[in-house]
């Protein structure tokens, strides 16, 4: 069976999206460009979001003491050994808020990514409150000849949740940022955490309608994880009753319920994640690779005879 996105997978996959776009496999390479965050430098707060530990998701070659070019060169070499089928690469500016600097600084940083012929484009992770018209106009000019995507950490559609995790912006701010980006023709993504304290399963299910209403191209979901040294880990230690964690199988089945109502044109980049055990401070799923999680999701979709957008109206 061919689904609306043009292949036989039961969800609109990120790998399929790039194969349709480029005609071959594209691999993302994480880059740490040394940016910080208004939630860390005292502009909004000095404590950061209560759940945040960027180190839990950063590969070993990805450190800000190296130039962007060197990180990319090392990342290409690493991934050539691991993913021999990758033909081109995307520089993924992942750590902290990668538009939180003057425009001239952004131009200097992002131009380095295009010094390497293997780099087909950039993916820029940032906060919705760290973008403005001139910066987006710059990215729009880049996007005329290269792949450019802006990925916003939105995390929740509920303002009460955003306040409780010390996010520093509301959902209306996220909606404005997405609209400003999309209307310039820049590919737009967003990240959400499922299971933040205070959100019930019914609230998470209801958030799908808000996500569907956003002008997004791609979406990334994670289950809640607790990392050592974070404020949220301390909150859990003090009052674990406030938290509810999904088991792996429970989460997969819950996510399928969301996926059935998700817009079919939304590309699902990620639906779950597992950081190394040394970072974990709460219940975990053990050692499980993302490839295993995707395989489990696909098996459960087939067993249930369902697919992304089956219940979308």
């Amino acid at each position: 069976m061919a689904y609306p996105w043009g292949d036989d997978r039961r969800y609109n996959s990120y790998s399929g999206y790039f194969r349709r776009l480029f005609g071959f496999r594209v691999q993302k390479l994480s880059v740490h460009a040394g940016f910080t965050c208004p939630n860390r430098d005292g502009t909004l707060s000095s404590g950061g979001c209560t759940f945040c530990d960027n180190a839990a998701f950063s590969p070993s070659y990805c450190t800000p003491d190296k130039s962007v070019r060197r990180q990319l060169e090392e990342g290409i070499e690493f991934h050539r050994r691991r993913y021999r089928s990758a033909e081109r690469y995307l520089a993924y500016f992942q750590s902290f808020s990668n538009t939180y600097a003057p425009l001239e600084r952004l131009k200097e940083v992002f131009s380095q990514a295009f010094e390497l012929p293997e780099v087909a484009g950039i993916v820029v992770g940032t906060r919705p409150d760290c973008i403005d018209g001139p910066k987006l106009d710059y990215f729009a000019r880049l996007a005329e000849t290269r792949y450019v995507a802006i990925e916003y950490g939105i995390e929740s559609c509920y303002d009460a949740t955003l306040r409780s995790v010390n996010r520093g912006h509301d959902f209306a701010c996220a909606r404005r940022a997405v609209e400003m980006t999309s209307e310039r023709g820049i590919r737009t993504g967003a990240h959400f955490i499922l299971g933040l304290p205070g959100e019930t399963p019914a609230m998470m299910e209801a958030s799908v309608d808000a996500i569907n209403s956003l002008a997004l191209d791609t979406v990334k979901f994670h289950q809640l994880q607790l990392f050592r040294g974070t404020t949220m880990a301390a909150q859990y230690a003090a009052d674990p009753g406030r938290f509810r964690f999904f088991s792996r199988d429970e989460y997969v089945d819950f996510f399928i319920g969301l996926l059935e109502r998700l817009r079919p044109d939304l590309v699902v980049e990620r639906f779950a994640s597992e950081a190394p055990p040394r970072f974990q401070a709460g219940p975990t799923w053990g050692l499980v690779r993302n490839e295993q999680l995707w395989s489990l999701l696909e098996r459960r979709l087939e067993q249930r005879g369902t697919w992304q957008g089956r219940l979308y109206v």
Side-chain angles (χ1 to χ4, degrees), residues 3-307:
Y3 295 96
W5 40 89
D7 60 44
D8 60 359
R9 280 191 168 175
R10 291 174 179 262
Y11 62 93
N12 194 351
S13 72
Y14 202 49
S15 60
Y17 166 67
F18 282 123
R19 287 192 182 278
R20 293 190 298 272
L21 193 63
F22 290 103
F24 47 78
R25 181 187 173 92
V26 176
Q27 179 67 44
K28 286 170 71 175
L29 302 175
S30 293
V31 177
H32 192 327
F35 293 106
T36 183
C37 172
N39 232 7
R40 289 179 173 270
D41 69 359
T43 301
L44 293 175
S45 170
S46 57
C49 302
T50 61
F51 54 79
C52 184
D53 182 359
N54 273 269
F57 298 100
S58 297
S60 58
Y61 64 81
C62 184
T63 58
D65 60 310
K66 303 174 185 176
S67 69
V68 168
R69 180 182 180 121
R70 182 179 172 192
Q71 290 180 62
L72 288 171
E73 288 171 338
E74 292 182 11
I76 289 171
E77 180 59 29
F78 172 82
H79 283 284
R80 276 179 174 161
R81 293 194 301 268
R82 184 177 179 187
Y83 301 107
R84 297 183 185 275
S85 61
E87 295 185 34
R88 299 289 295 281
Y89 300 87
L90 299 177
Y92 179 26
F93 292 84
Q94 179 179 18
S95 299
F96 302 110
S97 302
N98 291 277
T99 58
Y100 186 51
L103 180 55
E104 290 308 310
R105 167 68 176 151
L106 301 188
K107 291 178 179 179
E108 179 211 343
V109 168
F110 297 122
S111 65
Q112 294 180 55
F114 296 111
E115 293 174 0
L116 299 176
E118 301 95 330
V119 174
I122 58 175
V123 179
V124 180
T126 192
R127 290 168 53 96
D129 56 354
C130 292
I131 204 70
D132 56 37
K135 291 175 183 176
L136 287 173
D137 290 341
Y138 161 69
F139 287 118
R141 289 192 294 273
L142 283 181
E144 291 174 0
T145 56
R146 303 170 175 91
Y147 181 89
V148 176
I150 308 294
E151 181 182 292
Y152 291 107
I154 297 178
E155 317 311 352
S156 173
C157 299
Y158 296 100
D159 288 347
T161 302
L162 295 173
R163 287 192 296 271
S164 73
V165 299
N166 195 41
R167 188 64 189 162
H169 65 76
D170 58 15
F171 185 63
C173 173
R175 184 180 292 279
R176 285 193 300 273
V178 168
E179 289 173 352
M180 290 171 62
T181 308
S182 178
E183 69 187 13
R184 285 170 169 79
I186 303 167
R187 292 176 173 87
T188 312
H191 176 270
F192 297 92
I193 299 173
L194 297 174
L196 288 169
E199 293 196 4
T200 65
M203 290 172 67
M204 288 181 265
E205 290 169 359
S207 70
V208 175
D209 291 335
I211 295 170
N212 283 337
S213 73
L214 296 173
L216 295 171
D217 299 290
T218 63
V219 66
K220 183 189 293 185
F221 297 95
H222 288 177
Q223 82 281 18
L224 177 65
Q225 298 178 84
L226 296 184
F227 302 125
R228 298 180 188 276
T230 62
T231 299
M232 189 171 284
Q235 292 170 341
Y236 174 70
D239 185 8
R242 290 184 56 216
F243 293 77
R244 179 190 179 282
F245 294 93
F246 292 97
S247 70
R248 186 192 63 181
D249 291 344
E250 182 185 27
Y251 179 79
V252 170
D253 281 328
F254 176 76
F255 182 75
I256 287 174
L258 305 187
L259 191 66
E260 289 177 314
R261 296 174 46 227
L262 197 67
R263 271 182 17 225
D265 66 295
L266 271 173
V267 175
V268 181
E269 178 178 354
R270 188 182 293 272
F271 85 99
S273 182
E274 190 69 10
R278 68 182 182 276
F279 292 101
Q280 300 281 1
T284 77
W285 296 344
L287 292 172
V288 57
R289 295 184 61 84
N290 285 320
E291 293 88 347
Q292 295 171 292
L293 292 171
W294 282 118
S295 294
L296 178 58
L297 176 67
E298 292 187 17
R299 286 198 305 272
R300 291 295 291 137
L301 286 168
E302 184 174 359
Q303 289 167 0
R304 291 175 54 170
T306 193
W307 56 88

